[in-house]
Amino acid sequence: MPGTAMIFAPIPVLTVTIEAHDGGDDVHLHAGGQGLWQGRVLAALDVRVVLCGVFGGEAGPALRHYIADEGVEVRAVERTGNNGVYVHDRRDGERDTLAENPGDPLTRHDLDHLYNVTLAEGLVADISLLSGPAGPGLVPSDVYRRLGHDLRANGGRVVVDLTGEPMAAALESGVDVLKVSHEELIADGRAERDEIPDLVVAMHRLRAEGADTIVVSRAANPVLVMIEKEIFTVPLPKLRTADPRGAGDSMTAGIAAGLVGGLETVDAIRLGVAAGALNVTRHGLGTLDPKAARQLAERVELHPLDAAAEPESTRSLSPSELADITRPT
């Protein structure tokens, strides 16, 4: 019996992609959004996935159909508001946005119903992933604080791939694994540059705020990982890139799949890095071959970055930043 992952995907998105094919246009319709892309990877890695979200407007019924076709179970909250939709043109090889609507914000009634559905599924799942909507202001940040608390207080494990206020809210309740990119840390003002000393300071602060394990993706540069207080660098497998979008979501899902499957944290991260690397070799977001992911994971290595945890490695930092690094948590 496969393990189960619950995904909080508040407002799934209908994606329309136009590609060139045999001198004409090839139009693809799929379900999308961060939570669905994560769910697609989890399902490929033999994890039972239950996705909780709201569905409404013209896109809602189509989204429920497309998600179910991907082997992901749907716990749907029906509403009158609209789900998100985007239209991308890839006919010239680049991804150009022709139209995009992230969907309508959740109403209080929508949120109450969705919260109860999500909590019920999360309490019986092996792990819960809290994902974000396609745009800011659609879901109150406090929902991540409450969900994280209620799930963990009842023995659940929580993985988040969030940024900004939703991430800060989730951290207040504690998270088992936090995945974030260096761009997001810089945009949030948590790091000034994509330099190891800056990112190490940010990672120590994130741990102090409530993250047990922290994974910082850095585009093509080695991933940084903090497990307890030890920091590792993880070089990415060398693969040619077809489409870089979705690598972070695939990495998060791969880590969650490993944890559901009983892997130790280090081995779950290996699987996550392999899943993220494989995603960029394909045009579909959140897609991978499970056999290739597991084989590639055997080649992923975590290298201890002992110096990064020592004050002398951060000579350019301010006294307050140094104090944050050395303060007990």
Side-chain angles (χ1 to χ4, degrees), residues 5-10 34-40 42 49-53 72 118 121 125 127-131 253:
M6 184 282 293
I7 298 182
F8 176 66
Q34 183 186 43
L36 187 278
W37 293 324
Q38 293 170 346
R40 187 179 288 157
L42 281 156
V49 183
V50 179
L51 183 145
C52 302
V72 173
T118 302
E121 295 296 338
I127 207 162
S128 295
L129 280 75
L130 306 186
S131 70

Side-chain angles (χ1 to χ4, degrees), residues 165-185:
E165 292 183 6
M167 179 177 73
L171 287 171
E172 287 188 28
S173 300
V175 300
D176 294 270
V177 179
L178 169 67
K179 156 65 179 63
V180 65
S181 73
H182 76 280
E183 294 102 329
E184 291 164 340
L185 290 178

Side-chain angles (χ1 to χ4, degrees), residues 2-312:
T4 301
M6 184 282 293
I7 298 182
F8 176 66
I11 309 175
V13 176
L14 180 65
T15 73
V16 182
T17 304
I18 308 169
E19 296 186 344
H21 180 69
D22 290 339
D25 295 337
D26 196 10
V27 181
H28 303 272
L29 279 73
H30 296 285
Q34 183 186 43
L36 187 278
W37 293 324
Q38 293 170 346
R40 187 179 288 157
V41 172
L42 281 156
L45 291 170
D46 301 321
V47 176
R48 175 175 171 257
V49 183
V50 179
L51 183 145
C52 302
V54 299
F55 296 83
E58 294 183 6
L63 278 166
R64 292 179 64 173
H65 173 77
Y66 288 132
I67 293 173
D69 279 352
E70 302 219 34
V72 173
E73 299 177 32
V74 181
R75 297 294 180 267
V77 172
E78 296 184 2
R79 67 164 182 169
T80 57
N82 294 307
N83 281 72
V85 179
Y86 70 63
V87 182
H88 285 176
D89 186 348
R90 287 183 52 91
R91 284 174 291 187
D92 63 357
E94 300 295 326
R95 187 181 293 272
D96 300 317
T97 300
L98 301 183
E100 186 170 19
N101 186 329
D104 295 330
L106 295 181
T107 67
R108 182 183 62 80
H109 177 76
D110 295 336
L111 184 57
D112 286 347
H113 193 177
L114 178 60
Y115 191 94
N116 287 338
V117 168
T118 302
L119 186 59
E121 295 296 338
L123 290 175
V124 297
D126 296 288
I127 207 162
S128 295
L129 280 75
L130 306 186
S131 70
L138 300 180
V139 179
S141 297
D142 184 61
V143 71
Y144 294 99
R145 180 185 299 107
R146 292 191 294 125
L147 268 177
H149 172 273
D150 292 353
L151 291 168
R152 281 171 57 98
N154 288 278
R157 291 184 294 175
V158 175
V159 174
V160 302
D161 187 347
L162 300 167
T163 187
E165 292 183 6
M167 179 177 73
L171 287 171
E172 287 188 28
S173 300
V175 300
D176 294 270
V177 179
L178 169 67
K179 156 65 179 63
V180 65
S181 73
H182 76 280
E183 294 102 329
E184 291 164 340
L185 290 178
I186 292 170
D188 284 352
R190 292 177 175 272
E192 292 185 7
R193 302 164 299 166
D194 180 23
E195 299 291 342
I196 286 178
D198 296 70
L199 298 175
V200 165
V201 170
M203 294 170 78
H204 278 277
R205 288 175 171 167
L206 290 168
R207 178 172 171 79
E209 289 181 48
D212 292 344
T213 296
I214 303 159
V215 180
V216 179
S217 61
R218 303 169 61 217
N221 293 322
V223 177
L224 288 179
V225 176
M226 176 180 278
I227 302 173
E228 295 183 350
K229 291 188 177 181
E230 189 170 8
I231 297 178
F232 302 85
T233 62
V234 190
L236 299 177
K238 295 180 180 179
L239 302 172
R240 287 188 177 269
T241 299
D243 187 345
R245 296 177 74 247
D249 293 327
S250 295
M251 182 183 297
T252 303
I255 294 169
L259 294 175
V260 169
L263 297 182
E264 297 294 331
T265 301
V266 168
D267 292 324
I269 288 169
R270 288 192 177 102
L271 181 60
V273 170
L278 280 173
N279 184 83
V280 306
T281 68
R282 305 165 68 110
H283 290 294
L285 301 181
T287 61
L288 86 166
D289 178 273
K291 182 178 179 181
R294 293 188 174 97
Q295 289 178 338
L296 191 61
E298 296 178 1
R299 299 172 178 265
V300 174
E301 298 180 347
L302 278 72
H303 302 285
L305 190 68
D306 296 333
E310 298 173 0
E312 54 265 30

